[in-house]
């Protein structure tokens, strides 16, 4: 179960940090319990990790450090939602959001420094990160340079994004323990020069129990299209026009749209501006932030998922939901037969939507595993020997 909330220190500059006030933090009680520190930067990534975090709690002492998009009010302030769900946030690391040139590098550098202070204070045995986000890169860099082993989930995948593909593989090289989701991803990590004994192919924790989670929410009575769109470049006007193209095209075909706000990548303000310009549309529903169970229920019930979210590549297959992936953001990523592709072109999008609707639902089969990733990850984190060969890496060829 999630842990009881206590006061949360904010890590910034050289500010003195309040002492941990968690009952299992004392050295005596933690003597035989390894400490795993999970660094989270986005609502989506935290949602897909919840089952893993619960499994970790059964075997280890869990710390949670929040940063990045969790702190953004315009993205729904998901930090508050995490707390309301009963999770204890051990520390908050500020993250500066700006669309100015160089701001992302500056924010990352500041986060690396502040995360180092958090790790020095909390002394985790392992730092756990997910995917290709810049927050995960900051955490992996800080932990590696601090001498703390890094465990990385979803390494070895391919996805173009903005800087995602490069960051994902950089995180893999900074990591000591790898949990790829597919055999192809595991093979890519090995080709990066990582030792085979470090690599544990477990599947994606994002699909663990999601059908059961979605059952908590009643089915939607009417058909709708679900839209989840993230930026592909910093140009806000270009992102506005892309979102507008998708909105107007889908609006002609579907009587109802349900739209999820974008992440905080550069250019997101253009997408937000588009969604906000349609806020008075009575047949469109907008969600700045949405609980995991509600999102999964939408994914289950939608006639189609439109956009470029990784949830369309990974989770949607478990519900048999057809997906229209638009543009290059997910380029190169493995996916099932339920995923179709189109460029940012109104005629192409309209044709692809109609093709998806003709095909209909797909069998519930997912190339990203069978729903047991969380237990495998937690068991390995609890038991893997924290030896010098693990800590000190040498390229394998």
């Amino acid at each position: 179960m999630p842990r009881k909330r206590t006061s949360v220190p904010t890590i910034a500059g050289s500010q003195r940090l309040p002492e941990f006030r968690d009952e299992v933090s004392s050295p005596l009680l933690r003597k035989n319990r390894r400490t795993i520190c999970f660094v989270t930067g986005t609502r989506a990534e935290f949602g897909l990790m919840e089952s893993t975090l619960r499994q970790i709690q059964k075997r280890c002492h869990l710390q949670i450090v929040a940063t990045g998009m969790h702190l953004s009010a315009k993205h729904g302030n998901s930090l508050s939602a995490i707390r309301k769900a009963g999770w204890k946030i051990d520390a908050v690391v500020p993250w500066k959001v700006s669309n100015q040139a160089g701001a992302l590098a500056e924010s990352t550098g500041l986060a690396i420094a502040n995360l180092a202070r958090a790790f020095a204070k909390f002394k985790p045995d392992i730092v756990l990160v997910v995917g290709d986000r810049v927050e995960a890169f900051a955490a992996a860099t800080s932990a590696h340079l601090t001498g703390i082993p890094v465990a990385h989930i979803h390494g070895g995948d391919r996805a173009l994004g903005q800087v995602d593909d490069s960051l994902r593989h950089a995180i893999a090289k900074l990591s000591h323990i790898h949990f790829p989701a597919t055999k192809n991803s595991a093979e890519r990590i090995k080709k990066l020069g990582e030792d085979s004994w470090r690599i544990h192919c477990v599947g994606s924790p994002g699909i663990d129990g999601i059908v059961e989670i979605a059952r908590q929410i009643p089915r939607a009575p009417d058909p709708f299209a679900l839209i989840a769109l993230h930026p592909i470049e910093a140009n806000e006007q270009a992102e506005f026009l892309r979102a507008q193209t998708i909105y107007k095209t889908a609006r002609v075909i579907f009587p109802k749209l349900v739209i999820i706000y974008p992440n905080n990548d550069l250019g997101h303000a253009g997408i937000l501006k588009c969604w906000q310009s349609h806020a008075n549309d009575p047949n469109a529903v907008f969600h700045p932030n949405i609980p995991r169970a509600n999102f999964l229920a939408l994914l289950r019930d939608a006639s189609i998922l439109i956009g470029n979210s990784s949830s369309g590549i990974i989770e949607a297959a478990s519900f048999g939901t057809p997906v229209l992936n638009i543009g290059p953001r997910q380029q190169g990523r493995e996916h099932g037969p339920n995923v179709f592709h189109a460029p940012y072109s109104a005629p192409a999008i309209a044709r692809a939507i109609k093709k998806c609707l003709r095909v209909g639902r797909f069998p519930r089969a997912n190339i990203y595993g069978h729903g047991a990733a969380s237990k495998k990850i937690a068991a390995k984190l609890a038991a893997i020997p924290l030896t010098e060969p693990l800590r000190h890496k040498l390229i394998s060829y």
Side-chain angles (χ1 to χ4, degrees):
M1 294 296 293
R3 292 177 288 161
K4 184 178 179 181
R5 278 186 56 196
T6 57
S7 61
V8 181
T10 297
I11 315 296
S14 58
Q15 177 180 342
R16 184 179 181 274
L17 304 178
E19 295 295 325
F20 240 177
R21 289 197 275 185
D22 183 65
E23 65 276 8
V24 298
S25 292
S26 72
L28 186 62
L29 290 176
R30 283 176 50 192
K31 183 177 180 181
N32 296 315
R33 300 188 75 203
R34 186 169 288 178
T35 299
I36 310 299
C37 180
F38 174 53
V39 180
T40 175
T42 76
R43 64 199 180 191
E45 155 239 89
F46 188 88
L48 70 85
M49 282 296 293
E50 283 195 82
S51 61
T52 303
L53 299 182
R54 291 191 176 91
Q55 290 297 324
I56 290 172
Q57 283 183 324
K58 294 178 181 180
R59 298 167 172 84
C60 304
H61 171 53
L62 175 67
Q63 298 168 344
I64 298 176
V65 174
T67 187
M69 201 171 84
H70 287 304
L71 316 183
S72 172
K74 66 182 177 181
H75 290 90
N77 194 10
S78 53
L79 185 61
S80 296
I82 293 172
R83 290 170 174 162
K84 287 179 181 177
W87 291 99
K88 176 180 178 287
I89 305 298
D90 295 292
V92 173
V93 171
W95 189 276
K96 181 182 176 182
V97 178
S98 171
N99 276 352
Q100 298 300 314
L104 183 59
E106 180 184 351
S107 299
T108 305
L110 292 171
I112 289 170
N114 286 326
L115 283 162
R117 295 186 179 98
F119 298 151
K121 177 67 178 181
F122 300 151
K123 296 179 173 57
D125 295 300
I126 298 172
V127 168
L128 177 63
V129 297
V130 181
D132 56 11
R133 296 282 304 171
V134 68
E135 301 93 339
F137 172 74
T141 301
S142 184
H144 190 103
L145 295 177
T146 306
I148 303 169
V150 178
H152 183 207
I153 296 173
H154 264 295
D157 291 358
R158 296 175 70 214
L160 184 62
Q162 291 191 17
V163 293
D164 300 15
D165 200 62
S166 297
L167 286 186
R168 188 188 305 270
H169 304 313
I171 295 168
K173 289 305 300 177
L174 291 166
S175 299
H176 306 79
I177 309 164
H178 306 283
F179 296 113
T182 70
K183 291 181 179 179
N184 286 339
S185 293
E187 188 61 28
R188 289 189 196 100
I189 294 173
K190 188 175 180 181
K191 288 179 178 179
L192 288 173
E194 295 296 291
D195 299 300
S196 296
W197 57 266
R198 298 181 183 273
I199 304 169
H200 312 279
C201 191
V202 295
S204 173
I207 67 172
D208 286 8
I210 62 174
V211 174
E212 289 71 23
I213 294 170
R215 285 199 186 107
Q216 303 172 28
I217 310 298
R219 287 192 170 272
D222 302 311
F224 65 92
L226 179 62
I227 297 178
L229 182 68
H230 303 300
I232 61 171
E233 63 172 318
N235 187 323
E236 294 179 8
Q237 181 60 23
E239 292 298 341
F240 176 91
L241 293 174
R242 292 183 181 110
Q244 187 81 316
T245 297
I246 292 171
Y247 187 93
K248 289 185 174 181
T249 306
R251 192 70 188 79
V252 171
I253 299 172
F254 291 95
K256 183 176 181 181
L257 302 179
V258 178
I259 297 174
I260 310 296
Y261 272 28
N263 64 22
N264 64 346
D265 284 356
L266 296 178
H268 72 270
I271 298 175
L272 284 177
K273 183 179 179 181
C274 178
W275 297 159
Q276 290 163 355
S277 73
H278 296 288
N280 294 325
D281 184 342
N283 293 310
V285 179
F286 298 87
H287 292 283
N289 185 41
I290 188 169
R292 173 77 167 167
N294 296 77
F295 174 74
L296 292 175
L298 290 172
L299 191 57
R300 173 197 65 194
D301 298 342
S303 300
I304 185 174
L305 171 63
I306 302 171
N308 56 15
S309 169
S310 62
S311 60
I313 304 296
I314 299 174
E315 287 101 323
S318 293
F319 298 107
T321 303
V323 174
L324 176 55
N325 178 64
I326 300 175
R329 185 178 177 90
Q330 299 297 335
Q331 182 179 325
R333 202 157 200 174
E334 292 177 79
H335 61 78
N338 64 311
V339 179
F340 299 77
H341 302 277
Y344 284 99
S345 157
I349 292 170
R351 287 194 299 270
I353 290 175
K354 291 173 184 177
K355 182 178 180 180
C356 288
L357 296 179
R358 285 197 302 270
V359 174
R361 310 300 289 192
F362 284 79
R364 295 182 176 185
N366 201 317
I367 65 170
Y368 284 92
H370 306 287
S374 296
K375 290 182 179 179
K376 294 177 181 178
I377 292 168
K380 184 58 66 174
L381 291 176
I384 192 167
L386 301 181
T387 59
E388 287 307 302
L390 179 78
R391 296 173 186 275
H392 291 96
K393 296 178 63 178
L394 183 66
I395 195 166
S396 64
Y397 57 86

